[in-house]
Amino acid sequence: MRLALWQTAGDPGNDPAANLDRLEAAAAKAAAGGADLLLAPEMFLTGYNIGREAALAKAEPAEGPSARRAADIARAHGIGLCYGYPERGDGGAIYNSCLLLDKDGTRLLNFRKTHLFGDLDRAMFAPGEGTAELARFEGYGVGMLICYDVEFPEAVRALALAGADLVLVPTANMKPYDAVSLYVVPARAFENELYVAYANRCGVEGELDYMGLSCVGDPMGGNLVLAGDGEELIFADLDPARLREARRLSTHLGVRRPDVPGRSSR
């Protein structure tokens, strides 16, 4: 399977319709490059650092008009899509969410960010429940996390134990946290024997200076690809044989002892 990761600043006005136009152009380019799936950043539709009032005004249900337009884009170009957006949930709660669509536009999975980062996230969003749901895409078990979630080992481990082969992570990570792309994402891939795709924003938004460095963590260790700091579309080819070899060599999941960390030292 070929992944395309789109590192972008999005539309300067953070307009969902304009961002969907840009998503269609990127989907066409990714599909022309042979990609099966295009991954866009966290809060791609509206911008991330937009404040509570804008998040409330621009939030949509998971099956809202933007999702329907994105489904049309997926169908038209024969490519799966995963992107971040503000979701309006039952009771009016707003979530930092991401949506995964199949190549025919079918909704496969919707995920709500579980670990909220600082006052910025907490002022805008309610936390998700952290379910370890998976979807099947091109023969892979696919799970999703958002940005800060991947920095918690338990979040990726839960997906691995559920049978994930690939974890998609739309993100909006800012300077100086380059260690996440350089070390954390590869470590999560290696220790859980799966691929981790991490698509970041770039550019400046308010006081945030996004670092780029989108990457795909390799189950054998390291990154398969690593972007620079500007707008970029990068590709990574996932190989099921490499997954099998990583799982033969690493065996972390098979020999782990979940009873040990919970024992009292007294």
Side-chain angles (χ1 to χ4, degrees):
M1 178 168 69
R2 172 164 272 204
L3 285 182
L5 281 70
W6 187 23
Q7 181 168 287
T8 180
D11 175 72
N14 294 329
D15 175 58
N19 277 317
L20 285 164
D21 288 342
R22 298 185 79 246
L23 182 67
E24 179 149 30
K29 186 175 180 181
D36 297 290
L37 175 64
L38 173 64
L39 176 62
E42 179 179 10
M43 289 285 285
F44 165 75
L45 282 188
T46 62
Y48 171 60
N49 186 21
I50 59 175
R52 179 167 177 79
E53 287 187 12
L56 284 168
K58 296 181 178 183
E60 297 183 19
E63 68 282 1
S66 290
R68 293 194 291 272
R69 168 80 192 283
D72 290 341
I73 293 169
R75 254 190 314 273
H77 298 281
I79 189 169
L81 298 175
C82 180
Y83 63 90
Y85 73 104
E87 180 191 355
R88 187 177 303 280
D90 295 338
I94 307 300
Y95 298 95
N96 182 338
S97 295
C98 57
L99 182 64
L100 175 63
L101 300 172
D102 209 340
K103 291 180 176 182
D104 63 359
T106 302
R107 187 175 76 171
L108 295 178
L109 201 59
N110 189 72
F111 176 80
R112 296 168 172 173
K113 188 174 185 179
T114 305
H115 301 87
L116 301 181
F117 180 77
D119 293 339
L120 192 157
D121 252 353
R122 289 191 289 268
M124 290 191 286
F125 305 115
E129 296 178 357
T131 59
E133 280 188 273
L134 300 183
R136 299 298 298 180
F137 182 87
E138 297 293 297
Y140 285 76
V142 180
M144 297 195 295
L145 297 172
I146 298 176
C147 198
Y148 197 37
D149 287 325
V150 81
E151 299 178 40
F152 293 82
E154 303 89 343
V156 185
R157 180 54 52 86
L159 291 170
L161 293 174
D165 304 305
L166 167 65
V167 180
L168 302 174
V169 190
T171 189
N173 197 11
M174 68 292 293
K175 297 175 183 178
Y177 301 112
D178 60 347
V180 181
S181 292
L182 299 178
Y183 307 113
V184 174
V185 168
R188 295 290 173 268
F190 177 73
E191 70 195 6
N192 289 291
E193 303 155 19
L194 43 67
Y195 290 103
V196 180
Y198 187 80
N200 199 12
R201 302 182 72 89
C202 59
V204 175
E205 188 182 39
E207 71 279 11
L208 302 183
D209 187 358
Y210 299 115
M211 66 183 184
L213 299 181
S214 298
C215 60
V216 177
D218 182 359
M220 298 287 279
N223 277 316
L224 287 178
V225 291
L226 179 66
D229 62 2
E231 182 139 339
E232 191 173 352
L233 184 69
I234 61 174
F235 294 85
D237 293 311
L238 310 189
D239 184 355
R242 192 168 182 82
L243 270 178
R244 290 193 295 270
E245 181 68 358
R247 290 165 178 173
R248 183 183 72 82
L249 293 173
S250 297
T251 69
H252 294 108
L253 299 183
V255 301
R256 59 187 285 272
R257 292 188 58 193
D259 59 308
V260 174
R263 291 192 309 184
S264 171
S265 59
R266 295 181 180 177

